[in-house]
Amino acid sequence: MTRVRRALLSVSDKTGLIPFAASLAGLGVDLISTGGTARALREGGLRVTDVAEITGFPEMLDGRVKTLHPRIHGGLLGIRGNPGHEGQMAAQGIVPIDLVAITLYPFEATTARRDVPLAEAVEHIDIGGPAMIRSAAKNFAAVAVIVDPQDYESILDELKRNDGGLSRATRFGLARKAFAHTARYDALIAGFLESGELAPDGSWLSPTPPQGGVLGSRLAFPHLLHVRLEKVQELRYGENPHQRAAFYRDLALQGGIAAARQLQGKELSYNNLMDLHAAWELAQEWGEPVVAIIKHTNPCGVATAAELVQAYTRARDTDPVSAYGGVLGSNRPLDAATAREIASTFVEAVVAPGYTAEALGILKDRKNLRLLEMPPAISHEPSAMSGFEMRRISGGMLVQDRPRHGACHRRHRRRPDVPCGFRQAGQDEGKLSHPGNGAGLRRLLPLPRRGGRGCRGAGDRCDSARRVGPGRRGHRGRR
């Protein structure tokens, strides 16, 4: 158990700073700080030592150089109990630092603004902060590093329980979180710089304006592709019960299923999320009211109508057997009439941009029915449709631009009310089918083909490569 005697605090996000620092001081911890953090601590009535007093150098270059000094990094990196390190530290007047709490410049928030000037973005790239975080994290055997104000309370609780000490396990956990934090920060910077380029005159060309509703990148396919994902939740299992799975959101994008709010129903499964995504994406192909019914990412029925309830019944009647136990996607808020029709049969999940109070009242008794709401302000945001579409293959990844809604209509002069790859089905103008597939719809989204040997029973999705249509009824599988 390493006792904390000296702490360095340097934060841009000052949430919870004063109570945290006051509690440290109450435990006899000496406080070191920089610039605005030091001012905030003094205004809070706390005694603090400026970094400049430790280094012997003033902050300079508009604050760009403050902590990049051996008396700071030596205090973080010196190995306790190592005679050579301790001798060199003593000779140079370096005193150990046992805890650092650092929040970095808000680069992500700054570059989230459209057309942010390059100079402003660059000024929000933190240099000294990540350096101290990495130094402290590398020496987790003796130093604790905090990068998230949400951790202040738990760290204080442990310090109070252990007479000012923190366990090695706690320090290791903080170090792991710190390295992940700086990796994400660097990826954000790289991603921003890859989104634009310098013009011949040296001016910054920001990401290209939306084309067909998609925010593009001037650097079409970067040499190194940075994918920034954050875990939303762990799932009970994957596509099949013997597979582990988790759900991550893409930090570079807004909106999508990852931004949806679950209003009721059981926990979402891997297969639910796949089908919800397919249903939502397909429903966005139309401007008029539409309902898409999906099972195992196969469209079972898609229909449009002046009223949503009619669109649903048309879609359901396209292939009622396959539609049983399916997942619904709509581009309109769900109303009471549509909710009554949905309640009359078995549906796994629904995703829509909203639900009327009466519709929610009708569906509330279906406790297992999963209802997802896509906030309108997010679901139609162009950035929700930006980014790359990626598909893993053995040893690599295929990457392409996301398809733009309506792009094939412009290229192939198609009717604007019929999405790519579909035609009017029979005499019912509301139903749609894929060419050559009779009354039903062919598979819209590709899935890996499987041979019979990979199937382990009724729970495995052995029919995932089959087509949904006349004579092709996909089984429900496990949810």
Side-chain angles (χ1 to χ4, degrees):
M1 191 74 67
T2 299
R3 193 177 190 286
V4 175
R5 292 180 171 84
R6 177 179 286 196
L8 192 157
L9 311 179
S10 181
V11 296
S12 59
D13 178 2
K14 296 178 174 55
T15 303
L17 171 66
I18 301 304
F20 177 64
S23 295
L24 290 176
L27 293 169
V29 178
D30 293 333
L31 303 180
I32 306 169
S33 193
T34 62
T37 305
R39 286 194 298 274
L41 293 173
R42 289 193 177 96
E43 290 170 2
L46 297 171
R47 181 179 177 181
V48 59
T49 301
D50 282 307
V51 161
E53 296 179 45
I54 304 294
T55 64
F57 282 86
E59 293 184 11
M60 59 182 67
L61 306 180
D62 296 323
R64 286 190 170 198
V65 179
K66 292 180 283 193
T67 58
L68 297 171
H69 193 280
R71 288 185 178 171
I72 298 300
H73 286 272
L76 295 172
L77 286 166
I79 299 176
R80 279 57 158 176
N82 181 309
H85 282 208
E86 290 181 343
Q88 293 174 57
M89 291 170 70
Q92 301 299 326
I94 298 173
V95 180
I97 299 171
D98 308 304
L99 182 148
V100 294
I102 298 170
T103 57
L104 303 176
Y105 293 167
F107 182 84
E108 183 174 14
T110 300
T111 55
R113 305 198 323 264
R114 290 279 174 85
D115 299 324
V116 61
L118 178 61
E120 182 180 351
V122 167
E123 282 305 310
H124 282 84
I125 297 176
D126 204 322
I127 302 300
M132 289 191 290
I133 289 172
R134 291 174 63 84
S135 291
K138 178 176 180 176
N139 200 18
F140 69 86
V143 183
V145 52
I146 304 172
V147 296
D148 183 355
Q150 296 294 322
D151 292 329
Y152 290 166
E153 186 175 351
S154 62
I155 295 303
L156 287 173
D157 287 343
E158 184 171 340
L159 288 170
K160 292 172 183 177
R161 289 196 311 269
N162 298 306
D163 191 28
L166 291 173
S167 69
R168 185 182 181 89
T170 296
R171 296 193 304 275
F172 176 74
L174 291 171
R176 184 163 51 190
K177 185 172 183 177
F179 278 121
H181 187 69
T182 56
R184 178 180 181 274
Y185 193 76
D186 286 339
L188 286 168
I189 296 169
F192 173 77
L193 296 177
E194 286 172 350
S195 70
E197 57 187 20
L198 289 178
D201 63 0
S203 61
W204 171 247
L205 299 176
S206 60
T208 58
Q211 298 177 6
V214 180
L215 183 67
S217 169
R218 293 186 182 274
L219 188 58
F221 296 101
H223 179 66
L224 291 175
L225 181 59
H226 301 276
V227 180
R228 305 184 299 279
L229 304 175
E230 181 178 70
K231 186 165 69 174
V232 176
Q233 68 184 90
E234 292 195 8
L235 304 173
R236 289 174 295 165
Y237 51 82
E239 187 176 12
N240 296 302
H242 60 277
Q243 294 173 278
R244 297 183 301 165
F247 178 33
Y248 288 77
R249 70 181 182 95
D250 191 333
L251 295 173
L253 304 179
Q254 300 176 34
I257 293 297
R261 184 166 63 103
Q262 185 171 354
L263 303 180
Q264 73 168 50
K266 295 193 299 185
E267 178 184 346
L268 291 168
S269 70
Y270 180 97
N271 295 333
N272 290 151
L273 288 164
M274 288 285 291
D275 287 351
L276 285 162
H277 165 72
W280 176 253
E281 292 285 295
L282 182 52
Q284 303 317 296
E285 291 281 352
W286 283 269
E288 62 268 47
V290 65
V291 172
I293 305 177
I294 303 289
K295 184 188 289 184
H296 298 175
T297 67
N298 292 292
C300 306
V302 184
T304 63
E307 299 293 333
L308 192 65
V309 62
Q310 188 180 14
Y312 170 65
T313 56
R314 283 176 171 177
R316 182 191 62 198
D317 293 345
T318 299
D319 191 345
V321 175
S322 292
Y324 183 84
V327 170
L328 313 183
S330 170
N331 64 353
R332 293 291 192 278
L334 208 70
D335 56 29
T338 310
R340 290 190 191 94
E341 288 292 335
I342 292 173
S344 68
T345 186
F346 174 61
V347 172
E348 281 278 359
V350 181
V351 57
Y355 300 81
T356 67
E358 191 176 358
L360 291 175
I362 293 168
L363 297 174
K364 69 179 181 181
D365 292 334
R366 297 273 180 157
K367 299 188 183 301
N368 291 334
L369 173 61
R370 304 157 175 94
L371 299 181
L372 265 68
E373 181 180 49
M374 301 281 282
I378 295 178
S379 60
H380 301 296
E381 176 71 23
S383 58
M385 306 306 298
S386 65
F388 294 127
E389 190 172 82
M390 295 178 282
R391 186 167 297 277
R392 183 175 293 280
I393 60 173
S394 57
M397 190 81 74
L398 295 173
V399 180
Q400 67 176 357
D401 288 330
R402 285 180 56 88
R404 296 198 289 267
H405 298 318
C408 72
H409 302 127
R410 292 188 294 273
R411 177 174 296 180
H412 302 297
R413 301 180 184 275
R414 296 182 55 83
R415 280 180 52 188
D417 59 331
V418 180
C420 302
F422 290 85
R423 65 169 172 79
Q424 293 299 129
Q427 311 239 336
D428 191 334
E429 294 183 354
K431 297 179 183 177
L432 295 172
S433 74
H434 194 285
N437 199 39
L441 286 172
R442 273 191 161 182
R443 181 163 59 100
L444 175 71
L445 301 179
L447 284 173
R449 293 184 180 274
R450 288 186 174 81
R453 293 182 181 179
C455 302
R456 301 178 181 272
D460 279 13
R461 296 179 63 196
C462 309
D463 63 338
S464 58
R466 296 179 183 175
R467 311 277 189 178
V468 175
R472 294 285 191 176
R473 309 301 194 194
H475 69 262
R476 279 183 56 209
R478 295 191 186 181
R479 292 281 172 175

